[in-house]
Amino acid sequence: HRKLTSSDNRPREDSWLKSLFVRKVDPRKDAHSNLLAKKETSSLYKLQFHNVKPECLEAYNKICQEVLPRIHEDKHYPCTLVGTWNTWYGEQDQAVHLWRYEGGYPALTEVMSKLKENQEFSEFRKARSNMLLSRKNQLLLEFSFWNEPIPRSGPNIYELRSYQLRPGTMIEWGNYWARAIRFRQDGNEAVGGFFSQIGQLYMVHHLWAYKDLQTREDIRNAAWHKHGWEELVYYTVPLIQEMESRIMIPQKTSPLQ
């Protein structure tokens, strides 16, 4: 009998490894947005990240609390301020704003056009520009299987978990999380789930609300005792390239408190 060497085993090992990582995905004839987003609404979301000069954060929050609710309440603007926060743990001196545009891209275009004519907003933007170090935004759609974010009373802390997925894996992520979300509904902690359309692509954001950090820990630990949760985590982890968690505190005027 010929003695097997490690090199003899390698082709078999390679093919076994490849079988783990090569997925047979059916060819799709539709966009991710049509397969994963809510059909009954045509809402578009905008997520804004503003990194503020540390010495300006208080003044920045003050002008946001004065101006943003007016746009939210004005019926001429087809948009809603879903929530506005400061990051507590994660990037420091940061503000996060989430807007909903009822009617999709035409509503976004209409709001942007009207804001150009809004003198108060022009002054707000000018004042704000002197307070910022950097800013970025993303346009998002909401996953069909997540709750729609609605105003809630507080006090709560919010966690924004952001996942950079490997390109081509969004459908798989949606399939797994459509089942996984059922494990995370007990404490009413699920606020909203979104995926990016413009900006950084293949980004997923899950927004959660908790009474405090200990409650967050208890709820997350409890999920591991539910049959099926571990398996879904096992299958979704390989889809992720990078992930980040922000703990955020709502501003006084945020509809999500």
Side-chain angles (χ1 to χ4, degrees):
H1 292 287
R2 189 164 61 90
K3 190 179 177 185
L4 283 173
T5 64
S6 59
S7 60
D8 291 321
N9 285 335
R10 200 161 294 137
R12 215 181 313 167
E13 283 175 14
D14 287 350
S15 63
W16 179 77
L17 279 171
K18 279 177 187 166
S19 73
L20 277 182
F21 295 110
V22 176
R23 296 172 315 286
K24 294 173 177 60
V25 179
D26 293 336
R28 299 283 175 187
K29 294 183 180 174
D30 212 345
H32 289 168
S33 55
N34 293 334
L35 294 165
L36 294 170
K38 287 197 168 139
K39 299 285 187 293
E40 64 273 20
T41 64
S42 53
S43 291
L44 182 71
Y45 290 81
K46 179 168 71 176
L47 186 60
Q48 298 174 302
F49 298 101
H50 289 176
N51 293 314
V52 186
K53 294 174 185 173
E55 68 275 15
C56 297
L57 188 60
E58 198 174 322
Y60 170 91
N61 285 342
K62 187 170 183 287
I63 62 169
C64 285
Q65 286 164 16
E66 286 168 3
V67 176
L68 301 188
R70 285 184 203 146
I71 298 164
H72 167 75
E73 288 157 12
D74 192 329
K75 297 289 179 269
H76 290 97
Y77 295 98
C79 65
T80 307
L81 182 63
V82 177
T84 174
W85 302 267
N86 287 132
T87 303
W88 185 23
Y89 290 106
E91 282 195 62
Q92 297 293 282
D93 306 307
Q94 185 183 67
V96 180
H97 309 290
L98 181 63
W99 292 88
R100 181 194 294 119
Y101 297 88
E102 293 92 0
Y105 292 107
L108 173 69
T109 304
E110 183 185 338
V111 170
M112 295 298 106
S113 175
K114 284 179 175 174
L115 286 177
K116 281 180 187 170
E117 309 300 318
N118 183 325
Q119 188 59 40
E120 183 191 39
F121 189 75
S122 298
E123 288 167 12
F124 162 74
R125 280 187 62 131
K126 193 174 174 185
R128 186 185 70 181
S129 67
N130 294 323
M131 302 176 184
L132 295 181
L133 292 167
S134 66
R135 61 195 178 108
K136 69 173 181 178
N137 60 23
Q138 292 172 9
L139 294 180
L140 317 168
L141 293 174
E142 58 185 327
F143 283 112
S144 59
F145 46 84
W146 267 79
N147 311 345
E148 184 159 330
I150 54 171
R152 61 171 73 198
S153 55
N156 294 294
I157 60 168
Y158 288 80
E159 180 176 21
L160 183 67
R161 292 177 74 85
S162 302
Y163 303 88
Q164 176 69 61
L165 301 189
R166 291 194 293 114
T169 60
M170 187 65 77
I171 296 291
E172 278 182 273
W173 179 274
N175 287 340
Y176 288 126
W177 262 96
R179 285 180 279 155
I181 191 65
R182 297 199 303 267
F183 294 96
R184 297 295 309 276
Q185 298 281 20
D186 293 354
N188 193 31
E189 70 267 23
V191 178
F194 312 92
F195 59 100
S196 62
Q197 288 290 282
I198 295 177
Q200 197 168 339
L201 296 177
Y202 284 96
M203 281 295 294
V204 167
H205 300 283
H206 291 172
L207 184 60
W208 307 92
Y210 302 102
K211 185 168 141 267
D212 51 37
L213 286 171
Q214 186 58 53
T215 305
R216 170 189 175 273
E217 181 76 359
D218 295 343
I219 288 173
R220 287 177 56 78
N221 286 340
W224 289 96
H225 298 291
K226 296 177 183 175
H227 179 69
W229 173 255
E230 185 179 352
E231 183 189 2
L232 290 166
V233 171
Y234 175 83
Y235 285 117
T236 53
V237 164
L239 311 181
I240 302 167
Q241 275 187 340
E242 205 175 307
M243 58 192 288
E244 182 178 5
S245 166
R246 284 176 179 82
I247 301 294
M248 310 184 301
I249 305 294
Q251 292 197 29
K252 290 175 196 167
T253 50
S254 177
L256 285 169
Q257 279 298 307

